[in-house]
């Protein structure tokens, strides 16, 4: 009887360990915490949300894709490589959708990704419409707005593109936007 109880505990230990609520969900990619801290001017700029890169077997991290952390001093990425990374994210995760929102003055695609939970990506058009409705107070009353807010979910939009300065220098620009609709998006 003691042997049977011991075997049951031994075999169920991995299952029980996986169900522990205090187990961290994101394990940092090895070396990412140190590299980010080294490239950050002051520790007060780091929060737990940006102090490391979560390790993943499915989604390529910026460090694995580009060979360095993003934001490293003196390191910029051109728009072609940045767009390749956004495509790789969309291919690797059902929580990311890649699309083009127009063309630049130079004829290049302006691309963007939407990042949300899987249900948010599946219902992206409905959520865009709800957000546009909330943005115009003439289209919805207070009760309707409350319903749209309750049914909504956060979606983040990220684009990577070049910006030309007056001196025709090229600078990298990563934009994180949580608003919609964008010009030329329909």
């Amino acid at each position: 009887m003691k042997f049977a109880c011991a075997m049951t505990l031994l075999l169920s230990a991995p299952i029980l360990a996986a169900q522990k609520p205090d187990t961290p969900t994101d394990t940092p990619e090895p070396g990412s915490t140190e590299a980010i801290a080294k490239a950050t001017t002051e520790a007060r700029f780091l929060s737990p949300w940006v102090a490391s890169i979560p390790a993943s077997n499915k989604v390529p991290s910026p460090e694995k894709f580009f060979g360095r952390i993003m934001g490293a001093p003196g390191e910029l990425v051109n728009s072609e490589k940045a767009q390749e990374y956004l495509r790789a994210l969309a291919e690797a995760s059902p929580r990311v959708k890649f699309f083009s929102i127009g063309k630049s003055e130079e004829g290049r695609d302006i691309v963007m990704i939407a990042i949300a939970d899987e249900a948010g990506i599946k219902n992206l058009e409905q959520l865009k419409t709800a957000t546009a409705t909330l943005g115009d107070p003439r289209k919805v009353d207070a009760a309707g707005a409350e319903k749209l807010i309750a049914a909504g979910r956060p979606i983040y939009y990220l684009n990577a593109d070049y910006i030309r300065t007056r001196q025709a220098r090229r600078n990298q620009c990563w934009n994180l936007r949580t608003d919609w609709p964008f010009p030329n998006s329909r």
Side-chain angles (χ1 to χ4, degrees), residues 130-170:
T131 302
T133 302
L134 286 169
D136 187 348
R138 299 168 297 177
K139 293 183 179 180
V140 66
D141 61 8
E146 290 298 325
K147 287 180 184 177
L148 289 173
I149 292 167
R153 55 179 32 88
I155 299 172
Y156 298 93
Y157 295 91
L158 177 77
N159 78 325
D161 214 334
Y162 274 119
I163 293 178
R164 278 201 178 267
T165 63
R166 286 187 177 175
Q167 294 82 23
R169 265 189 344 214
R170 293 186 177 190

XYZ file of all heavy atoms in Angstrom, residues 130-170:
317
model
N -15.699 48.666 -33.902
C -16.113 49.087 -32.562
C -15.261 50.249 -32.075
O -15.784 51.225 -31.508
C -16.033 47.920 -31.587
N -13.961 50.191 -32.300
C -13.063 51.264 -31.869
C -13.368 52.554 -32.624
O -13.386 53.636 -32.029
C -11.594 50.856 -32.072
O -11.349 49.667 -31.340
C -10.632 51.941 -31.624
N -13.620 52.458 -33.935
C -13.958 53.640 -34.722
C -15.279 54.240 -34.237
O -15.426 55.464 -34.167
C -14.042 53.278 -36.204
N -16.219 53.384 -33.884
C -17.504 53.858 -33.360
C -17.299 54.578 -32.038
O -17.874 55.648 -31.804
C -18.485 52.679 -33.187
O -18.654 52.036 -34.456
C -19.832 53.143 -32.668
N -16.487 54.019 -31.160
C -16.212 54.664 -29.872
C -15.501 55.999 -30.051
O -15.629 56.888 -29.219
C -15.358 53.748 -28.990
C -16.076 52.553 -28.385
C -15.068 51.600 -27.759
C -17.101 53.008 -27.363
N -14.751 56.135 -31.130
C -14.003 57.362 -31.379
C -14.862 58.517 -31.870
O -14.391 59.650 -31.940
N -16.115 58.251 -32.237
C -17.003 59.300 -32.729
C -18.250 59.338 -31.854
O -19.140 58.498 -31.987
C -17.385 59.031 -34.180
C -18.175 60.171 -34.802
O -18.634 61.072 -34.068
O -18.334 60.151 -36.040
N -18.355 60.308 -30.938
C -19.478 60.343 -29.996
C -20.839 60.513 -30.668
O -21.861 60.276 -30.045
C -19.151 61.527 -29.087
C -18.142 62.326 -29.815
C -17.427 61.400 -30.744
N -20.866 60.898 -31.937
C -22.142 61.034 -32.638
C -22.731 59.681 -33.037
O -23.900 59.590 -33.363
C -21.962 61.886 -33.906
C -21.478 63.299 -33.618
C -21.048 63.994 -34.882
N -19.899 63.260 -35.432
C -19.303 63.559 -36.570
N -19.739 64.547 -37.310
N -18.266 62.874 -36.998
N -21.899 58.633 -33.015
C -22.337 57.332 -33.502
C -22.860 56.396 -32.422
O -23.407 55.347 -32.744
C -21.190 56.636 -34.233
C -20.782 57.312 -35.512
C -19.699 56.522 -36.204
C -19.303 57.177 -37.517
N -18.252 56.424 -38.192
N -22.637 56.728 -31.156
C -23.025 55.795 -30.102
C -23.438 56.556 -28.843
O -22.857 57.584 -28.518
C -21.873 54.792 -29.812
C -20.670 55.490 -29.225
C -22.315 53.642 -28.957
N -24.468 56.033 -28.167
C -24.865 56.629 -26.894
C -24.071 55.979 -25.760
O -23.293 55.049 -25.992
C -26.379 56.486 -26.668
C -26.851 55.042 -26.604
O -26.007 54.122 -26.590
O -28.078 54.830 -26.551
N -24.274 56.435 -24.539
C -23.492 55.944 -23.398
C -23.694 54.445 -23.169
O -22.734 53.719 -22.923
C -23.853 56.720 -22.135
N -24.917 53.967 -23.278
C -25.177 52.531 -23.062
C -24.512 51.692 -24.148
O -23.921 50.630 -23.872
C -26.681 52.268 -23.033
N -24.598 52.168 -25.391
C -23.948 51.445 -26.496
C -22.437 51.439 -26.342
O -21.771 50.439 -26.641
N -21.885 52.554 -25.873
C -20.438 52.639 -25.652
C -20.001 51.651 -24.578
O -18.972 50.976 -24.735
C -20.048 54.063 -25.258
N -20.779 51.538 -23.503
C -20.444 50.582 -22.439
C -20.424 49.148 -22.972
O -19.550 48.358 -22.611
C -21.425 50.707 -21.268
C -21.273 51.984 -20.475
C -19.904 52.124 -19.817
O -19.316 51.113 -19.378
O -19.409 53.263 -19.733
N -21.368 48.812 -23.843
C -21.416 47.466 -24.428
C -20.191 47.213 -25.313
O -19.600 46.145 -25.262
C -22.694 47.265 -25.239
C -23.928 47.107 -24.398
C -25.144 46.909 -25.274
C -26.406 46.851 -24.412
N -27.613 46.719 -25.240
N -19.833 48.207 -26.127
C -18.653 48.057 -26.991
C -17.379 47.908 -26.170
O -16.511 47.098 -26.491
C -18.533 49.255 -27.935
C -19.570 49.347 -29.049
C -19.423 50.666 -29.787
C -19.444 48.173 -30.000
N -17.274 48.685 -25.103
C -16.093 48.613 -24.232
C -16.015 47.246 -23.563
O -14.949 46.631 -23.500
C -16.107 49.759 -23.195
C -15.897 51.096 -23.904
C -15.049 49.534 -22.118
C -16.209 52.306 -23.046
N -17.147 46.742 -23.076
C -17.160 45.442 -22.397
C -16.801 44.306 -23.346
O -16.172 43.326 -22.940
C -18.535 45.194 -21.778
N -17.186 44.423 -24.616
C -16.919 43.356 -25.583
C -15.543 43.487 -26.231
O -15.072 42.558 -26.881
C -17.994 43.364 -26.670
N -14.880 44.618 -26.039
C -13.603 44.866 -26.697
C -12.437 44.180 -26.014
O -12.576 43.540 -24.980
N -11.306 44.282 -26.633
C -10.064 43.759 -26.071
C -8.920 44.593 -26.620
O -9.042 45.194 -27.675
C -9.877 42.288 -26.396
C -9.940 41.970 -27.854
C -9.738 40.514 -28.211
N -10.175 39.514 -27.320
C -11.400 38.967 -27.297
N -12.303 39.395 -28.139
N -11.704 38.017 -26.456
N -7.807 44.644 -25.901
C -6.683 45.459 -26.379
C -6.031 44.845 -27.612
O -5.863 43.636 -27.704
C -5.711 45.478 -25.202
C -6.126 44.389 -24.302
C -7.541 44.052 -24.598
N -5.713 45.708 -28.555
C -4.970 45.331 -29.758
C -3.874 46.368 -29.916
O -4.122 47.570 -29.795
C -5.862 45.331 -31.006
C -6.985 44.312 -30.842
C -5.043 45.025 -32.257
C -8.004 44.374 -31.934
N -2.672 45.921 -30.175
C -1.551 46.828 -30.366
C -1.113 46.733 -31.814
O -1.046 45.653 -32.389
C -0.394 46.473 -29.422
C -0.815 46.610 -27.993
C -1.317 45.526 -27.282
C -0.768 47.846 -27.359
C -1.742 45.658 -25.972
C -1.186 47.989 -26.050
C -1.671 46.894 -25.369
O -2.091 47.038 -24.078
N -0.817 47.871 -32.409
C -0.356 47.933 -33.790
C 1.080 48.437 -33.779
O 1.405 49.395 -33.088
C -1.231 48.885 -34.602
C -2.645 48.397 -34.722
C -3.615 48.772 -33.797
C -3.003 47.532 -35.741
C -4.905 48.300 -33.893
C -4.297 47.056 -35.847
C -5.247 47.451 -34.923
O -6.525 46.971 -35.017
N 1.922 47.782 -34.552
C 3.325 48.148 -34.626
C 3.712 48.234 -36.081
O 3.386 47.340 -36.870
C 4.183 47.089 -33.918
C 5.689 47.284 -33.973
C 6.123 48.363 -32.992
C 6.399 45.987 -33.663
N 4.384 49.320 -36.449
C 4.940 49.365 -37.794
C 6.404 49.755 -37.718
O 6.851 50.377 -36.767
C 4.133 50.287 -38.712
C 4.407 51.756 -38.512
O 4.642 52.205 -37.410
N 4.352 52.503 -39.582
N 7.142 49.335 -38.709
C 8.567 49.640 -38.791
C 8.797 50.266 -40.154
O 8.469 49.686 -41.160
C 9.394 48.372 -38.645
N 9.345 51.455 -40.150
C 9.498 52.163 -41.407
C 10.617 53.181 -41.284
O 11.000 53.570 -40.204
C 8.190 52.883 -41.735
C 7.920 52.939 -43.217
O 8.886 52.896 -43.996
O 6.752 53.022 -43.592
N 11.093 53.630 -42.429
C 12.070 54.714 -42.456
C 11.361 56.047 -42.511
O 10.287 56.165 -43.070
C 12.945 54.629 -43.714
C 14.115 53.742 -43.582
C 14.254 52.637 -44.398
C 15.102 53.996 -42.644
C 15.342 51.815 -44.295
C 16.190 53.176 -42.533
C 16.305 52.095 -43.366
O 17.383 51.284 -43.268
N 12.003 57.055 -41.969
C 11.527 58.427 -42.095
C 12.659 59.224 -42.717
O 13.813 59.112 -42.317
C 11.176 59.029 -40.722
C 9.977 58.306 -40.137
C 10.910 60.518 -40.848
C 9.599 58.816 -38.770
N 12.356 60.031 -43.711
C 13.380 60.888 -44.322
C 13.390 62.230 -43.604
O 12.360 62.843 -43.427
C 13.078 61.112 -45.793
C 13.528 59.993 -46.659
C 13.661 60.548 -48.063
N 14.147 59.531 -48.938
C 15.421 59.347 -49.211
N 16.335 60.097 -48.674
N 15.789 58.400 -50.027
N 14.581 62.669 -43.241
C 14.707 63.987 -42.636
C 14.989 64.995 -43.739
O 15.218 64.627 -44.889
C 15.848 64.009 -41.608
O 17.072 63.753 -42.293
C 15.633 62.978 -40.520
N 15.021 66.275 -43.411
C 15.299 67.294 -44.418
C 16.681 67.117 -45.039
O 16.908 67.467 -46.173
C 15.199 68.683 -43.799
C 13.792 69.068 -43.541
C 13.722 70.490 -43.104
N 12.311 70.817 -42.943
C 11.889 71.945 -42.479
N 12.750 72.866 -42.110
N 10.617 72.175 -42.367
N 17.612 66.573 -44.277
C 18.963 66.367 -44.806
C 19.057 65.047 -45.573
O 20.126 64.618 -45.943
C 19.985 66.352 -43.672
C 20.139 67.661 -42.952
C 19.052 67.858 -41.905
O 18.467 66.905 -41.422
N 18.768 69.097 -41.571
N 17.892 64.375 -45.796
C 17.818 63.111 -46.526
C 18.564 61.993 -45.811
O 18.930 60.994 -46.411
C 18.334 63.273 -47.956
N 18.796 62.163 -44.506
C 19.356 61.076 -43.711
C 18.258 60.097 -43.411
O 17.108 60.473 -43.262
C 19.885 61.621 -42.383
C 21.310 61.940 -42.354
C 21.765 62.253 -40.959
N 20.653 62.528 -40.068
C 20.694 63.384 -39.078
N 21.778 64.055 -38.837
N 19.659 63.586 -38.303
N 18.569 58.854 -43.285
C 17.559 57.868 -42.942
C 17.692 57.498 -41.472
O 18.777 57.207 -40.995
C 17.700 56.631 -43.812
C 17.378 56.946 -45.242
C 17.385 55.717 -46.056
N 17.000 56.086 -47.409
C 16.722 55.243 -48.336
N 16.774 53.968 -48.084
N 16.395 55.632 -49.538
